[in-house]
Amino acid sequence: MTGLANDTLHDTLLWAPQAWVDGRWQAGVALRIDAASGLWAEVRPDVPPPPGTRVLPGPLLPGLVNAHSHAFQRAFAGLAERREGENDDFWSWRDRMYAVALRMSPEALEAVATQLYAELLQGGYTQVCEFHYLHHAPDGRPYPDPLAMSHALMRAAGATGIGLTLLPVLYQRAGFTQPALREDQRRFATDVERLLTWRDSVRAARQPCVNAGVAIHSLRAAPAEAIARLQRALEGDAGPIHLHIAEQTAEVDDCLAATGRRPIEWLLQNVALDARWQLVHATHATADEIDGVARSGAGVVICPSTEANLGDGLTDVPRWLGAGTVLSIGSDSHVGRQWPAELKLLEYGQRLQLRRRNVAAAPQAQQPATAARLYQRMLHGGAPAAGFARWGFEPGARADWLVLDLQAPGLLGVPASHALDALVFATEGLAFVEVGVAGHPVLRDGALPAQAAIAQRFAATMAELWAPA
Ligand code: ZN
């Protein structure tokens, strides 16, 4: 043995024939989990299986952070794919989505989020950032427990084993020129003080694998004074700060009309951005804005399946990548729930637009593999989005892992060096046979132990939510 010792009786040793360490596949990797903390204690490539180790059946990848989720929208996936009028766009979708939001009780949210989080684990995500604005009861009054909806999300995370970054959302007005919320936005109302109180309550609950930051819904939904006040209150706090920024051209136009600046331009001029800030849907960005965000160290969260579903538009992926921007992936409205499919769609949008192949690859930087470059960037960028200093297979990072299913049709017989390429571009359906979070396998044989019961409860909740009035 080469010195990788089973230090205590409770530590766990894993060994994989190949694992993603330091941005590439490495062979014969032993990993030791510190049982007390659920973090990696040691990662050592190029060793034979140590005595007492559990040998994993396939290549090992770190899980990805899902950096943008509205869990309740899982109940709406697949139910907005019909057009009844002349036009259907983001804004008509949003009106229908609000109708779902108004029907969601804490019990329904828990059932929907539990199903979603189980699916996200199956899809290769081990942490999810909840951009949570469904604060109050359907009539707009606070619940007796103001965190009733947050607790539903925390119970869902606890039941499935996924890590959760809860981001209570500041939501104060319907638009740049509308000082109040719309009637159908009454559940979202909050202010800076309540937002910080809720964040602190989530942190004080100390639920394992749950942390908290904050979010600002968007520049249109929060006045500049509130953003400034929040920014001052967050000085010295390490938690992430997320906001929707430039998803739709109409919100770019509204921002220009109201402030004389485009949304990202306004943000760069008025907020001291840093690595805590996460710009969700920085879709409509000029070259100067992209370079400015890259220099600030802020992250950008891209949600390919939702952005495609809502007709948002394509962002300039080569420019974001080339500028060195910190990038991560979100599944947002949850029409897609697997990260390999998100990476494929991200690349395919560029191929279709530019009529070229392997747009995200960078052979000049010795990164010819598109999937590897995208995956590595999202792996790196997910950490700050979820408030982690370390992520992946390195000592001190949380011990999360995915075991690739070598029996998945798209991976059968593929050379080990091309497993990630085949996972992203040639594998349809689920491809992870085991998923671990914080040192424990939460999913084995491709499913959670409680998967059937979770699905049954979700189906019953859907039947109630969608019962004819
Ligand atoms: Zn969103």
Side-chain angles (χ1 to χ4, degrees):
M1 220 340 256
T2 52
L4 190 108
N6 201 343
D7 279 350
T8 78
L9 282 176
H10 303 291
D11 282 9
T12 306
L13 281 174
L14 304 177
W15 185 89
Q18 79 185 94
W20 191 262
V21 184
D22 292 335
R24 61 191 172 92
W25 287 121
Q26 302 206 36
V29 179
L31 305 101
R32 184 162 61 82
I33 300 161
D34 173 52
S37 64
L39 307 178
W40 296 118
E42 200 170 357
V43 177
R44 188 175 292 235
D46 206 21
V47 294
T53 198
R54 187 159 76 85
V55 173
L56 298 168
L60 203 62
L61 287 169
L64 277 198
V65 169
N66 185 334
H68 192 63
S69 163
H70 308 284
F72 78 89
Q73 293 181 15
R74 172 66 185 84
F76 193 41
L79 297 172
E81 307 304 329
R82 299 180 183 189
R83 175 164 63 83
E84 267 126 30
E86 182 63 28
N87 254 317
D88 190 10
D89 62 12
F90 174 89
W91 308 100
S92 51
W93 171 85
R94 194 184 69 158
D95 288 342
R96 290 193 274 172
M97 181 269 284
Y98 282 176
V100 183
L102 285 173
R103 286 204 285 276
M104 195 65 62
S105 65
E107 297 72 27
L109 179 61
E110 183 180 343
V112 170
T114 307
Q115 170 72 16
L116 169 68
Y117 293 165
E119 292 172 339
L120 295 183
L121 285 164
Q122 290 181 301
Y125 299 107
T126 55
Q127 180 81 17
V128 59
C129 300
E130 268 299 329
F131 197 103
H132 172 55
Y133 55 78
L134 211 47
H135 302 306
H136 306 304
D139 64 4
R141 286 200 293 238
Y143 283 107
D145 169 9
L147 285 182
M149 295 296 267
S150 299
H151 285 141
L153 294 167
M154 290 160 73
R155 282 195 298 274
T160 57
I162 199 168
L164 172 67
T165 302
L166 203 53
L167 305 163
V169 175
L170 182 67
Y171 211 138
Q172 294 190 295
R173 63 181 187 184
F176 286 102
T177 56
Q178 296 153 282
L181 292 169
R182 288 176 13 171
E183 175 57 19
D184 57 2
Q185 296 174 321
R186 58 186 179 269
R187 300 189 72 177
F188 315 159
T190 189
D191 54 40
V192 171
E193 286 67 34
R194 279 188 291 175
L195 189 75
L196 295 171
T197 304
W198 295 341
R199 178 203 64 181
D200 292 344
S201 301
V202 172
R203 288 178 176 172
R206 295 185 149 275
Q207 182 175 316
C209 295
V210 174
N211 63 1
V214 297
I216 298 160
H217 181 272
S218 53
L219 299 184
R220 70 185 135 84
E225 312 82 71
I227 294 173
R229 210 141 48 82
L230 181 60
Q231 207 191 339
R232 284 195 297 277
L234 294 173
E235 275 172 24
D237 186 80
I241 310 162
H242 290 228
L243 84 167
H244 294 131
I245 189 66
E247 179 169 12
Q248 286 282 316
T249 51
E251 73 183 318
V252 177
D253 296 342
D254 288 353
C255 190
L256 262 172
T259 70
R261 298 282 180 270
R262 299 162 52 81
I264 298 173
E265 186 186 18
W266 187 93
L267 200 66
L268 287 165
Q269 288 181 1
N270 290 278
V271 172
L273 294 180
D274 57 37
R276 296 174 301 166
W277 288 80
Q278 303 296 321
L279 281 56
V280 182
H281 309 301
T283 310
H284 301 290
T286 65
D288 283 350
E289 288 171 335
I290 291 175
D291 295 345
V293 172
R295 278 194 302 274
S296 76
V300 164
V301 184
I302 308 176
C303 307
S305 59
T306 292
E307 289 163 8
N309 186 273
L310 298 181
D312 288 344
L314 288 166
T315 199
D316 188 347
V317 174
R319 182 122 198 160
W320 285 116
L321 285 168
T325 323
V326 177
L327 300 174
S328 59
I329 282 286
S331 65
D332 193 0
S333 71
H334 306 301
V335 285
R337 299 176 292 283
Q338 301 172 29
W339 64 251
E342 299 290 346
L343 298 189
K344 177 166 71 174
L345 187 56
L346 183 63
E347 166 70 18
Y348 277 4
Q350 303 297 309
R351 291 189 190 188
L352 287 162
Q353 187 181 39
L354 301 171
R355 288 174 285 163
R356 285 163 38 206
R357 299 192 69 251
N358 289 306
V359 176
Q364 72 285 2
Q366 284 72 54
Q367 295 177 313
T370 295
R373 187 164 186 237
L374 288 175
Y375 172 72
Q376 183 58 26
R377 291 294 286 271
M378 305 306 170
L379 187 65
H380 177 253
F388 289 94
R390 292 166 188 273
W391 192 260
F393 295 151
E394 61 174 69
R398 196 173 69 194
D400 292 7
W401 68 89
L402 315 170
V403 181
L404 276 184
D405 179 7
L406 289 176
Q407 302 308 309
L411 295 170
L412 275 177
V414 167
S417 58
H418 285 61
L420 194 53
D421 314 48
L423 172 68
V424 170
F425 290 105
T427 304
E428 294 180 296
L430 301 172
F432 303 112
V433 71
E434 178 179 308
V435 176
V437 179
H440 299 286
V442 295
L443 180 150
R444 276 186 160 155
D445 300 323
L448 271 71
Q451 193 101 27
I454 290 169
Q456 204 173 22
R457 186 171 163 214
F458 172 70
T461 300
M462 288 290 280
E464 274 175 41
L465 281 170
W466 297 103

